[in-house]
């Protein structure tokens, strides 16, 4: 290997190691000497459904160009551009900064310095929200979201952003409704709690960051996950948090200030919403997951949807929206004010809607009932799992 390529090889190895260890923050490219207008570029990690990727954003005079590549392809792409189109590259990691620059004669020079950035930077749209949850919280380490040093693992960046966003939303809504204020503990039921990422996050935030008393139950049909979560709750001394292995519909939990169901499968979301309404919860949060009930029922009712529902993919998407609109209207008809908000960016998942319902004396229940019936007529569905559990909506 020539001396020239050694510097570059050291730089690229440092980049790969930083990504692997979770210390990578970003990489910047400057001193553009390639074809076309001047530009600079920044590479960061993004977590997609199929794992972490490198997002390389190139800034041109009038627009940005974004490439999202697998880690391997991203590193290979950077390898070919550094020292060719760009004569300067800086790797920012939580361990050190490393800069590789080339002279006019393309002589490389490698320098390292103390880290100027301390933590992996979340994507811009989530940046302001990520500090509500410290990455070194013990439950994040135990659930393998962060490593032993308290750094978010590259593959868990998406989950971490989801946790931060969720906590931000709940904190805002709790302030609005003043739920569980006073001396009684806030009671919360989480339906379909899975591995408990969001359950632990909420319990930890409420009791530790906000200093509130809290009695929280995770309902999960899978016994192995319930055992895992109960073990962790014990280890962390979370005395107000417990998990039950039971189907949502059959839980004995009937009272709650807050009911949440995040990505609970299919009609488990409806069971959770029905439970929340029945319990008179101040706040109900549902992020729907897969939906199978409405799509087969949607038909050509003469409302002009035939051109939409003849394509199976569009029919399913339409059915998802109809399902969630019906849920929102049924919540309103039950005395809740409902916001339909984006949970996480669609960049991470298409299942990103969150129904956020807060109890309100001002909900226009009759109008919501009428709108629900009109939606049924227009789209042709006959049964809705949530409606079947409520009185006076049909
Ligand atoms: C996609 S996971 C979501 C986990 C967690 N809420 C989150 O957002 O990270 C859905 C979980 O719901 C559970 N589940 C599905 N149907 C259920 C039901 N009827 N009752 C209780 N749990 C259910 C599944 O076993 C699974 O663990």
């Amino acid at each position: 290997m020539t001396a020239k390529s050694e510097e570059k090889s050291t730089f690229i190895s440092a980049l790969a190691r930083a990504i692997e260890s979770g210390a990578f923050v970003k990489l910047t490219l400057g001193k553009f000497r390639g074809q076309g207008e001047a530009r600079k570029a920044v590479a960061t990690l993004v977590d997609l459904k199929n794992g972490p990727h490198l997002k390389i954003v190139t800034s041109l005079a009038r627009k940005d160009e974004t490439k999202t590549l697998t880690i391997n392809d991203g590193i290979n792409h950077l390898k070919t551009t550094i020292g060719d189109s760009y004569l300067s590259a800086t790797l920012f990691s939580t361990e050190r900064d490393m800069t590789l620059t080339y002279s006019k004669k393309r002589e490389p020079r490698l320098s390292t310095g103390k880290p100027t950035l301390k933590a992996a930077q979340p994507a811009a749209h989530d940046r302001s929200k990520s500090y509500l949850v410290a990455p070194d919280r013990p439950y994040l380490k135990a659930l393998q979201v962060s490593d032993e040093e308290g750094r978010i693992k590259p593959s868990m960046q998406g989950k971490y952003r989801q946790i931060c966003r969720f906590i931000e939303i709940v904190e805002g809504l709790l302030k609005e409704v003043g739920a569980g204020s006073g001396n009684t503990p806030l009671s919360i039921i989480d339906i379909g709690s899975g591995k408990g990422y969001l359950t632990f996050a909420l319990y930890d935030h409420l009791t530790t960051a906000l200093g509130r008393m809290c009695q929280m139950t995770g309902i999960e049909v899978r016994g192995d996950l319930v055992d895992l979560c109960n073990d962790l709750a014990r280890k962390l001394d979370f005395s107000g948090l417990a998990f039950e292995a039971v189907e949502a519909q059959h839980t004995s939990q009937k009272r709650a200030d807050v009911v949440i169901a995040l990505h609970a499968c299919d009609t488990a979301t409806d069971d959770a919403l029905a439970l929340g309404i029945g319990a008179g919860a101040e706040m109900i949060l549902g992020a729907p997951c897969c939906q199978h009930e409405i799509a087969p029922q949607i038909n050509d009712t003469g409302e002009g949807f035939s051109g939409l529902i003849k394509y199976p993919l569009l029919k399913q998407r339409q059915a998802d929206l109809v399902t969630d609109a019906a849920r929102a209207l049924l919540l309103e008809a039950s005395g809740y004010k409902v916001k339909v908000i984006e949970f996480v960016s669609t960049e991470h998942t298409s299942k990103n809607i969150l129904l956020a319902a807060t109890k309100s004396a001002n909900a226009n229940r009759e109008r919501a009932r009428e709108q629900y019936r009109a939606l049924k007529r227009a789209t042709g569905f006959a049964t809705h799992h949530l409606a079947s559990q409520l009185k006076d909506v049909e």
Side-chain angles (χ1 to χ4, degrees):
M1 195 185 297
T2 64
K4 273 188 188 184
S5 63
E6 251 172 52
E7 274 95 353
K8 182 151 144 188
S9 163
T10 305
F11 185 85
I12 295 294
S13 302
L15 165 66
R17 262 200 319 276
I19 292 174
E20 178 66 31
S21 70
F24 177 80
V25 179
K26 67 174 179 176
L27 183 143
T28 58
L29 297 173
K31 288 172 78 179
F32 180 71
R33 298 292 181 272
Q35 302 278 314
E37 62 181 284
R39 62 194 70 176
K40 53 190 179 160
V42 181
T44 49
L45 275 181
V46 286
D47 199 50
L48 303 184
K49 257 192 205 160
N50 51 349
H53 282 59
L54 265 176
K55 182 166 95 174
I56 304 173
V57 180
T58 304
S59 307
L60 303 166
R62 289 170 189 276
K63 59 175 182 165
D64 286 350
E65 273 174 7
T66 302
K67 275 192 175 70
T68 304
L69 303 169
T70 61
I71 301 295
N72 265 349
D73 288 351
I75 291 177
N76 282 334
H77 174 77
L78 292 168
K79 217 188 230 168
T80 56
T81 50
I82 294 171
D84 182 35
S85 323
Y86 292 97
L87 299 192
S88 168
T90 301
L91 165 66
F92 296 89
S93 79
T94 52
E95 282 154 6
R96 69 180 71 85
D97 292 356
M98 183 182 272
T99 300
L100 178 62
T101 50
Y102 290 80
S103 66
K104 276 186 192 153
K105 290 184 181 164
R106 306 284 159 124
E107 296 292 340
R109 188 171 162 272
L110 195 61
S111 60
T112 55
K114 285 188 181 158
T116 47
L117 299 172
K118 295 243 178 328
Q121 291 188 325
H125 54 268
D126 294 322
R127 198 168 288 150
S128 63
K129 298 152 191 164
S130 292
Y131 304 107
L132 272 179
V133 178
D136 61 355
R137 298 300 304 148
Y139 74 89
L140 287 175
K141 290 185 190 174
L143 290 170
Q144 306 293 317
V145 176
S146 47
D147 64 18
E148 274 313 302
E149 272 72 51
R151 295 171 304 206
I152 301 300
K153 294 184 176 183
S155 60
M156 298 305 277
Q157 293 282 349
K159 196 72 203 173
Y160 176 60
R161 280 196 285 275
Q162 193 186 64
I163 289 171
C164 292
R165 172 83 175 127
F166 174 62
I167 295 301
E168 184 201 23
I169 291 170
V170 177
E171 202 180 302
L173 290 170
L174 279 175
K175 275 185 201 142
E176 267 179 40
V177 296
S181 45
N183 289 331
T184 43
L186 189 66
S187 59
I188 306 178
I189 301 177
D190 179 12
I191 306 279
S193 48
K195 210 176 158 191
Y197 296 107
L198 296 149
T199 332
F200 279 96
L202 183 56
Y203 183 87
D204 183 62
H205 190 74
L206 289 170
T207 56
T208 312
L210 302 185
R212 297 184 71 157
M213 285 192 297
C214 181
Q215 205 62 48
M216 189 163 180
T217 310
I219 304 292
E220 167 57 53
V221 76
R222 277 182 53 187
D224 56 331
L225 295 179
V226 166
D227 290 346
L228 189 137
C229 289
N230 275 329
D231 277 353
L232 182 57
R234 263 191 300 275
K235 278 189 195 125
L236 294 171
D237 237 351
F238 284 180
S239 57
L241 177 60
F243 294 81
E244 277 180 20
V246 65
E247 287 252 353
Q249 248 182 329
H250 302 130
T251 174
S252 58
Q253 301 282 331
K254 296 286 179 237
R255 205 199 87 69
D257 298 312
V258 178
V259 172
I260 57 183
L262 304 169
H263 309 119
C265 316
D266 199 10
T267 51
T269 300
D270 297 302
D271 293 330
L273 301 182
L275 192 152
I277 293 167
E282 291 292 330
M283 191 167 118
I284 304 174
L285 294 176
C289 185
C290 46
Q291 342 237 36
H292 304 299
E293 190 191 17
I294 299 295
Q297 301 185 55
I298 285 190
N299 56 50
D300 182 7
T301 56
E303 295 283 338
F305 292 133
S306 61
L308 175 64
I309 62 177
K310 72 175 179 172
Y311 305 105
L313 178 62
L314 298 183
K315 182 177 182 183
Q316 181 59 54
R317 296 260 170 105
Q318 172 77 357
D320 291 352
L321 294 175
V322 171
T323 307
D324 289 336
R327 286 171 173 154
L329 291 169
L330 291 168
L331 282 160
E332 277 187 34
S334 306
Y336 287 83
K337 191 172 91 183
V338 180
K339 291 182 195 170
V340 180
I341 49 187
E342 200 171 65
F343 189 7
V344 285
S345 161
T346 41
E347 185 188 335
H348 307 296
T349 170
S350 57
K351 310 256 184 288
N352 73 336
I353 280 180
L354 181 77
L355 304 176
T358 48
K359 213 168 184 189
S360 166
N362 300 326
N364 192 334
R365 302 172 70 152
E366 193 43 48
R367 189 188 60 184
R369 257 181 233 124
E370 277 164 20
Q371 287 174 333
Y372 171 76
R373 289 179 201 131
L375 184 67
K376 250 180 109 174
R377 278 195 302 277
T379 55
F381 72 88
T383 58
H384 189 289
H385 194 64
L386 175 56
S388 67
Q389 300 179 63
L390 303 174
K391 287 188 201 120
D392 303 331
V393 289
E394 300 290 344

